[in-house]
Amino acid sequence: MKITFPHMGNIHIAVKVFFDAMGVDYVIPPMNNGQALEIGAIYSPEEMCLPYKIMIGNYMQAIEQGANTVVIVGSCGPCRFGEYCELQINLLKKLGHEVKFIVLDNPKEIGKEEVFKRIGLLVQGSKKNKYENVKAALKGIKAMNLLDEIEKKAYWFAGYEGNKGECKKILYRCRQEVVSTEDSDQALKILTKYKKAIHNVKLDYSKEPLKVAIIGEIYTVIEPFSNQYIEERLMDYGVSSIRTLTPSWWVKDMALKAVHLNSIKLRRASKEYLALGIGGHATECIGEAVLATKAKYDGAIQIFPVGCMPEIVSKAILPTISKEKNFPIMTLVMDEMTGEGGYATRVEAFLDLLERRKERCII
Ligand code: SF4
């Protein structure tokens, strides 16, 4: 069994740490790029959302390298994500690839027994005992938390850094170094080293950078290729950005969902504008926008793929929040046709607007 999985931000690093610790055979697809998207767009239904297409590209590239099992997380709806695995299984079959899928669904939806059965399939290639497999899972989670923390600090500190570009350099070096090792303990040491490095960046608090919240559909905000590297662009402009939706947030949210204790702050904040869950992370998007106004950020950027049903609803609500709270929000809708020039111009124009508002102290 040779396992592969789709990319989503830095998740491949945490999964790599987990698989290395378990000693299972795996293939990491090439980092998301135009080729993966092109392959995905050729074979996917045209009206399908962008994450689906990129994932298909990931699978096809991994299959070329010998992968025969795909691991993905699932959901029973209500947006298209609930149908991803079935559609992807059928599509790959049609294309002549007999690939096994292990779908890690929410235990609330498929039952704990089924979840354990599927996890059993996942670890069957490992020669480690149960205790070692649990330890491997904990290492993967630790790696995920460390990465998310390093990223979060890097994106925020970029507005305050004394030496321009330092945060970005640390982030790049961290990602490069950690994927170069196949020793899970060494990987955790590297991440701890970079966590210290990012905390030691010299900051200049006399600076007053723009502060922008990144909100929207979870895959598109986390996966830099699909949002045309928005956070790294903001780092280059000296803007501090913050994003709540991260892989570690998702794991915590899923775990607490069973006891209805997940994302309480976000759900409360969204209640006035969107009281019901409508799928995807629309509730979180609205909650994040409201919390961003309370945190006195300068603005928010909502990002989602063309045709994303939950985020279309959020998009319709955000102008009301913007008007009532006097808070600028820009929406960027992404697909395989999104051109870099027009995209960069829109981001720059929005930052210009925020800068002018700040100078005139409108907020
Ligand atoms: S949240 Fe949006 S982009 Fe993601 S699967 Fe659902 S419809 Fe597609």
Side-chain angles (χ1 to χ4, degrees):
M1 183 165 83
K2 205 164 191 176
I3 304 174
T4 191
F5 49 89
H7 276 295
M8 184 164 98
N10 291 321
I11 200 89
H12 64 286
I13 298 173
V15 178
K16 181 180 182 324
V17 168
F18 172 49
F19 286 160
D20 283 338
M22 282 210 314
V24 298
D25 206 4
Y26 62 90
V27 175
I28 300 180
M31 293 307 288
N32 280 340
N33 54 33
Q35 206 193 348
L37 177 56
E38 211 177 301
I39 297 171
I42 290 173
Y43 296 112
S44 308
E46 199 192 336
E47 65 281 8
M48 249 308 171
C49 25
L50 189 70
Y52 179 99
K53 294 176 185 171
I54 301 177
M55 283 180 186
I56 291 293
N58 292 157
Y59 304 153
M60 304 278 279
Q61 288 181 320
I63 290 168
E64 267 175 32
Q65 292 178 37
N68 56 15
T69 306
V70 171
V71 181
I72 54 164
V73 290
S75 143
C76 294
C79 81
R80 289 193 198 104
F81 186 54
E83 288 159 13
Y84 266 27
C85 58
E86 286 302 322
L87 292 173
Q88 289 176 343
I89 292 168
N90 290 341
L91 176 61
L92 291 181
K93 222 183 233 169
K94 251 196 225 165
L95 296 172
H97 302 297
E98 277 303 326
V99 183
K100 191 171 169 194
F101 268 68
I102 302 176
V103 185
L104 301 175
D105 268 310
N106 187 340
K108 219 175 122 194
E109 283 153 359
I110 58 167
K112 274 186 213 148
E113 255 177 50
E114 182 60 27
V115 173
F116 285 125
K117 203 175 122 196
R118 294 183 190 184
I119 292 174
L121 291 175
L122 179 62
V123 300
Q124 73 186 5
S126 167
K127 290 190 181 85
K128 310 276 175 176
N129 60 36
K130 267 190 193 162
Y131 169 71
E132 286 168 320
N133 283 333
V134 171
K135 247 177 100 182
L138 293 177
K139 280 184 190 176
I141 291 172
K142 190 169 177 194
M144 189 190 291
N145 290 338
L146 281 166
L147 270 162
D148 283 344
E149 188 182 340
I150 295 165
E151 258 197 5
K152 187 176 175 181
K153 293 285 176 213
Y155 295 145
W156 190 253
F157 288 170
Y160 296 94
E161 60 192 2
N163 299 320
K164 184 133 180 59
E166 195 180 350
C167 290
K168 200 170 178 181
K169 264 188 218 150
I170 292 176
L171 200 55
Y172 272 32
R173 266 192 249 131
C174 172
R175 288 178 188 146
Q176 252 175 10
E177 212 176 303
V178 74
V179 290
S180 67
T181 177
E182 283 175 9
D183 178 335
S184 55
D185 291 318
Q186 181 61 20
L188 291 177
K189 272 187 201 154
I190 293 169
L191 290 172
T192 310
K193 178 180 90 178
Y194 279 100
K195 181 183 150 186
K196 272 189 203 147
I198 202 78
H199 278 276
N200 287 336
V201 166
K202 249 197 185 162
L203 300 177
D204 176 358
Y205 282 110
S206 65
K207 287 186 177 183
E208 286 181 20
L210 290 177
K211 299 179 192 105
V212 174
I214 303 294
I215 62 177
E217 192 269 333
I218 190 163
Y219 181 93
T220 322
V221 295
I222 292 180
E223 172 50 48
F225 172 74
S226 71
N227 61 40
Q228 297 213 5
Y229 305 91
I230 184 78
E231 284 155 323
E232 294 180 14
R233 278 175 202 266
L234 294 177
M235 285 177 117
D236 293 340
Y237 294 131
V239 172
S240 288
S241 67
I242 189 145
R243 159 169 56 88
T244 304
L245 303 193
T246 59
S248 51
W249 170 87
W250 183 84
V251 170
K252 198 172 154 202
D253 190 72
M254 288 295 277
L256 294 175
K257 220 174 217 165
V259 283
H260 299 288
L261 287 174
N262 60 312
S263 305
I264 294 173
K265 253 176 136 182
L266 283 176
R267 282 193 284 133
R268 275 196 193 140
S270 69
K271 217 163 191 169
E272 190 187 338
Y273 297 95
L274 183 63
L276 291 172
I278 55 160
H281 293 87
T283 313
E284 285 79 359
C285 174
I286 298 298
E288 285 174 273
V290 173
L291 291 180
T293 67
K294 289 190 178 154
K296 301 257 177 280
Y297 298 149
D298 297 291
I301 300 179
Q302 182 205 18
I303 312 177
F304 67 91
V306 166
C308 171
M309 301 177 294
E311 289 302 323
I312 288 171
V313 178
S314 309
K315 184 179 182 282
I317 298 170
L318 289 175
T320 310
I321 299 176
S322 181
K323 201 171 160 196
E324 288 184 4
K325 313 267 183 202
N326 187 24
F327 182 71
I329 303 173
M330 176 176 69
T331 295
L332 295 170
V333 186
M334 312 299 294
D335 72 359
E336 60 269 34
M337 309 297 281
T338 307
E340 206 199 324
Y343 177 88
T345 308
R346 288 200 62 199
V347 174
E348 282 168 15
F350 183 66
L351 295 178
D352 243 18
L353 170 106
L354 299 186
E355 196 69 65
R356 275 184 285 124
R357 279 172 62 96
K358 203 173 169 118
E359 278 164 16
R360 287 159 54 196
C361 296
I362 290 174
I363 293 177

